[in-house]
Amino acid sequence: MSAPEPVHEPACDSTREPVSAYEPTPTPASASVSASEPGPAPPGAPPSDRASLAATARIIAAPDGSLPVLSGDGPFALRRTRATGPYTRVTVVGAMSAPLGGDRLALTAEVRDGARLLVDSAAATVALPGGTETPATYDIALTVGADAELRWLPEQLVSAAGSVLTVRTTVQLAATARLVFREEQILGRHAEPPGTLTTRLTVRRAGRPLLDQELRYGPGAPPGWDGPAVLGGHRATGQLLVVDPAFADRPAGARLLGEHAVLAPLAGPAALVTAVAPDALALRRVLDEALRLLAAT
């Protein structure tokens, strides 16, 4: 992979430092920072004088391979990186520790008609406790136009002990759009309990609902989230959603993928793979195999 091309020259924010091996060494970035009244800090929380932040990132991909918009602040450092195949590739690089309690993050990506975009990340995202009891939020809005394709393949989201995070993802697809969407949650770092994590995924195709689901884990989640009907004691969970007009004529068949994963066809046309695993490596192996099965490049 070639060296990333700089797209943003923000000022340095010195209020945060990496606190986990999951995070890369921070690169300079700017942020919109607003003070928050600190509440009781959970064990391991950053100092109470840390401020919460509001940060946004935007990606627009055009069919000629260009990126008319590629901008980010706060923890979002967006880099155009070398891709194989027909895709324009953008890598999200973490520029500071985020999300912390009270942070409000938002990322939007638009794939214009006929364009092909692959979005990945340089490292896992770690949700951490902060100096406020206000939950952190991360809103992701994805739009894919006619005959366009989006491959959304970030690294894992790690829910550290004491953190409270809500992730809301909305996807709007044209009738002839294609989507490969992967998300993975790791509930707690090594030998620690998870934080509280809520995820909501809403997908609409040609204006009609295709998938709408909400999952909650950790303290405060409904009883049974860790029981045999949900995680069964596992601490890694994830899913792979593939939407492809070709499934209208050749739908994916329902099947088990190993001991703890299942492939289910959806009306749409689409297929959803849901998996649990004892750790991040085992989870990725299952979802990578599902990716090769459903959406080989």
Side-chain angles (χ1 to χ4, degrees):
M1 185 173 71
S2 64
E5 301 175 10
V7 297
H8 193 53
E9 295 294 340
C12 179
D13 183 297
S14 61
T15 62
R16 298 193 173 182
E17 300 176 353
V19 296
S20 167
Y22 284 106
E23 296 183 283
T25 301
T27 56
S30 66
S32 171
V33 180
S34 59
S36 297
E37 291 297 328
S48 59
D49 60 353
R50 294 286 183 93
S52 63
L53 63 87
T56 61
R58 293 183 63 213
I59 305 168
I60 296 179
D64 62 0
S66 65
L67 295 167
V69 175
L70 186 64
S71 65
D73 58 20
F76 297 115
L78 306 183
R79 301 290 184 260
R80 179 167 185 163
T81 49
R82 179 175 296 176
T84 58
Y87 301 97
T88 301
R89 180 183 176 190
V90 173
T91 298
V92 181
V93 180
M96 63 172 66
S97 299
L100 275 67
D103 288 354
R104 302 175 305 283
L105 310 181
L107 189 155
T108 64
E110 177 188 350
V111 188
R112 292 178 174 171
D113 294 354
R116 293 187 174 184
L117 175 66
L118 186 156
V119 178
D120 59 11
S121 58
T125 297
V126 184
L128 296 164
T132 173
E133 292 183 330
T134 304
T137 59
Y138 187 4
D139 293 310
I140 302 169
L142 311 175
T143 304
V144 188
D147 299 315
E149 181 175 353
L150 172 62
R151 290 190 165 227
W152 185 265
L153 301 171
E155 293 301 309
Q156 300 92 350
L157 169 63
V158 181
S159 177
S163 65
V164 182
L165 173 65
T166 297
V167 181
R168 295 179 291 256
T169 304
T170 58
V171 185
Q172 301 284 347
L173 303 173
T176 54
R178 295 176 297 279
L179 172 70
V180 176
F181 178 91
R182 182 184 70 204
E183 62 178 3
E184 300 164 296
Q185 294 92 31
I186 310 303
L187 305 178
R189 292 171 292 190
H190 179 67
E192 77 171 8
T196 298
L197 176 63
T198 302
T199 67
R200 178 77 178 267
L201 173 62
T202 304
V203 183
R204 299 180 68 89
R205 176 178 178 268
R208 302 182 62 182
L210 186 148
L211 178 66
D212 192 352
Q213 67 176 22
E214 181 173 296
L215 303 171
R216 297 183 66 191
Y217 306 108
W225 67 270
D226 197 24
V230 185
L231 293 180
H234 291 91
R235 282 294 179 265
T237 181
Q239 58 188 359
L240 177 76
L241 173 65
V242 179
V243 183
D244 191 334
F247 287 156
D249 298 323
R250 300 183 303 277
R255 69 183 77 177
L256 292 175
L257 299 177
E259 187 177 357
H260 302 296
V262 62
L263 186 160
L266 302 179
L272 178 67
V273 175
T274 304
V276 296
D279 54 46
L281 179 59
L283 178 66
R284 178 60 61 85
R285 286 172 176 164
V286 171
L287 295 183
D288 278 352
E289 179 59 32
L291 183 61
R292 286 189 289 269
L293 178 67
L294 294 172
T297 55

